[in-house]
Amino acid sequence: MSAARHAPPPIAQQQYGSDQAGLIYSFCFHPDGAGAEIDSAQAQAWLRAPPDGDAFLWLHFNLANAASERWLRAALPLQEDFFEALRGGSNSTRIELLDQALLAVINDVAFSFGLASSDIATLWAHAQPRVLITARVKPLHSVDRLRAAVRGGAAFRSPAALLVHLLQNQADALAGIVRASGAQVDVLEDRLLAQRLDDQRAQLAAMRRSLVRLQRLLAPEPSALFRLLNRPPAWLDAADAQALRQSSEEFALTLNDLAALVERIKLLQEELAARLNEQSNRTLFTLTLVTVLALPINIVAGFFGMNVGGVPLANHPHGFWVLVLLVASFSLLAGWWAFRRQRGV
């Protein structure tokens, strides 16, 4: 009966991808760093009576299941600031101190140009000396990669090490986006040099908007990270602090590459706008020139079309050709003046 009571109902499993407690999966890490998967009942029993030694837990929750927050409040003494962060506020990437715990907000991207903004998902993490809590609404690739690493036998000696691995996964995803975007920009730049970029303005604009949004969401808040690295919690050892610092530096380099790519796209847009403006000016000049050249013909036709007496050259045997020569001369003079003025400009 106990096993049947703890088994997640099929409807909840199918709807949320989690059990009755909202837990998607959880791992218990032994002192040697290896992780073994456990269920919510085993995790609750571990939290009630933590074993001696350096073992710790990683619990990953689905916030789409309303039972997640209730289970967390009942099973763990978490700060209210963590639950406030889950319910709203800024979703920019950051790591900050909550008393002696770490609160991390990590954004992950299933990225493809032209997709909707819902492809950016947020992960909230709460790290204590022996427990790491992660929670999300939508699936994230970085967490799946971490789970695959744990199941593959990767060793993690602390919750902070798991958190650093999540940040590195995020940095790797962003680096992949920068590489893919850079390759697309190379192609567009070649097309611009070949004068074949007229139909790519919308793609450039969409690419730039997507990258700027990624830059805003994924860039860690430097002030919070600076305070954390200078005054880390007592349970964060030097190795974990150094790994966190190194991961932040690598992420900063990737963000610099992203900013350079955004600037490169901006320059391409400016070059394209300048070429289109030049083409528009050339077209406008051609239309103006045609109007100027046709003006003498229209004026003469208007005068000679008047059905009044005294029309000059009406009885002259070569009157028509005289007027043709006069109009042609005036048109050539006007064209010479217009082209001379255009070259002067």
Side-chain angles (χ1 to χ4, degrees):
M1 292 295 292
S2 176
R5 186 168 56 251
H6 288 298
I11 295 178
Q13 180 72 22
Q14 192 175 44
Q15 182 176 1
Y16 297 112
S18 57
D19 62 11
Q20 287 178 325
L23 189 67
I24 302 174
Y25 48 79
S26 58
F27 292 90
C28 177
F29 290 84
H30 303 293
D32 60 356
E37 195 161 2
I38 59 176
D39 59 21
S40 58
Q42 294 171 316
Q44 194 168 16
W46 193 99
L47 292 171
R48 287 198 187 112
D52 297 332
D54 296 329
F56 65 93
L57 290 183
W58 172 31
L59 309 177
H60 183 55
F61 289 88
N62 186 358
L63 295 177
N65 190 333
S68 299
E69 184 172 340
R70 293 196 300 269
W71 194 94
L72 286 171
R73 288 182 180 275
L76 286 166
L78 300 176
Q79 295 88 344
E80 187 63 29
D81 292 342
F82 174 69
F83 295 104
E84 291 179 359
L86 295 180
R87 289 190 291 268
S90 173
N91 287 344
S92 60
T93 300
R94 65 187 186 275
I95 305 177
E96 56 189 20
L97 281 171
L98 293 179
D99 295 334
Q100 287 300 310
L102 294 180
L103 169 64
V105 180
I106 301 173
N107 291 284
D108 191 20
V109 183
F111 190 81
S112 178
F113 290 116
L115 293 182
S117 60
S118 60
D119 292 316
I120 298 177
T122 304
L123 173 76
W124 292 268
H126 185 280
Q128 295 177 340
R130 300 188 65 182
V131 179
L132 173 66
I133 303 293
T134 57
R136 54 79 171 169
V137 176
K138 300 177 182 178
L140 294 95
H141 288 301
S142 58
V143 180
D144 290 337
R145 290 176 60 187
L146 179 58
R147 178 179 62 172
V150 173
R151 287 178 172 174
F156 297 92
R157 51 189 180 80
S158 67
L162 288 170
L163 187 58
V164 170
H165 197 279
L166 281 174
L167 291 174
Q168 290 174 344
N169 288 343
Q170 184 196 25
D172 292 341
L174 183 59
I177 291 171
V178 172
R179 286 193 298 269
S181 304
Q184 289 195 11
V185 172
D186 290 339
V187 173
L188 295 177
E189 193 172 28
D190 292 339
R191 297 192 64 180
L192 176 62
L193 294 175
Q195 305 289 336
R196 291 185 292 108
L197 196 59
D198 294 342
D199 58 338
Q200 303 298 324
R201 287 175 292 168
Q203 184 177 358
L204 275 175
M207 190 184 304
R208 183 181 175 188
R209 286 195 301 269
S210 300
L211 292 177
V212 168
R213 185 170 186 268
L214 288 177
Q215 188 178 15
R216 186 185 73 250
L217 284 176
L218 300 183
E221 296 182 0
S223 58
L225 187 59
F226 180 79
R227 290 193 300 268
L228 171 63
L229 293 176
N230 283 276
R231 298 183 61 185
W235 57 270
L236 188 67
D237 58 26
D240 289 334
Q242 179 61 29
L244 182 60
R245 181 178 291 105
Q246 182 178 355
S247 177
S248 302
E249 291 174 353
E250 293 175 356
F251 200 86
L253 292 176
T254 305
L255 286 174
N256 290 336
D257 294 339
L258 177 59
L261 184 59
V262 171
E263 186 65 24
R264 185 179 171 193
I265 294 175
K266 180 181 177 181
L267 292 176
L268 280 176
Q269 287 180 306
E270 292 176 352
E271 177 67 20
L272 181 58
R275 293 194 178 189
L276 292 176
N277 187 45
E278 182 181 355
Q279 183 178 358
S280 299
N281 291 338
R282 199 178 302 117
T283 302
L284 182 61
F285 169 74
T286 302
L287 293 175
T288 304
L289 182 60
V290 170
T291 303
V292 170
L293 295 179
L295 185 61
I297 301 175
N298 293 329
I299 293 176
V300 172
F303 277 120
F304 281 83
M306 297 179 183
N307 193 16
V308 296
V311 177
L313 305 176
N315 299 319
H316 195 283
H318 303 293
F320 173 77
W321 296 109
V322 171
L323 288 178
V324 169
L325 180 61
L326 180 64
V327 171
S329 300
F330 188 82
S331 300
L332 290 174
L333 181 63
W336 172 82
W337 176 82
F339 279 111
R340 182 172 176 269
R341 186 177 180 85
Q342 176 68 14
R343 285 196 297 267
V345 174

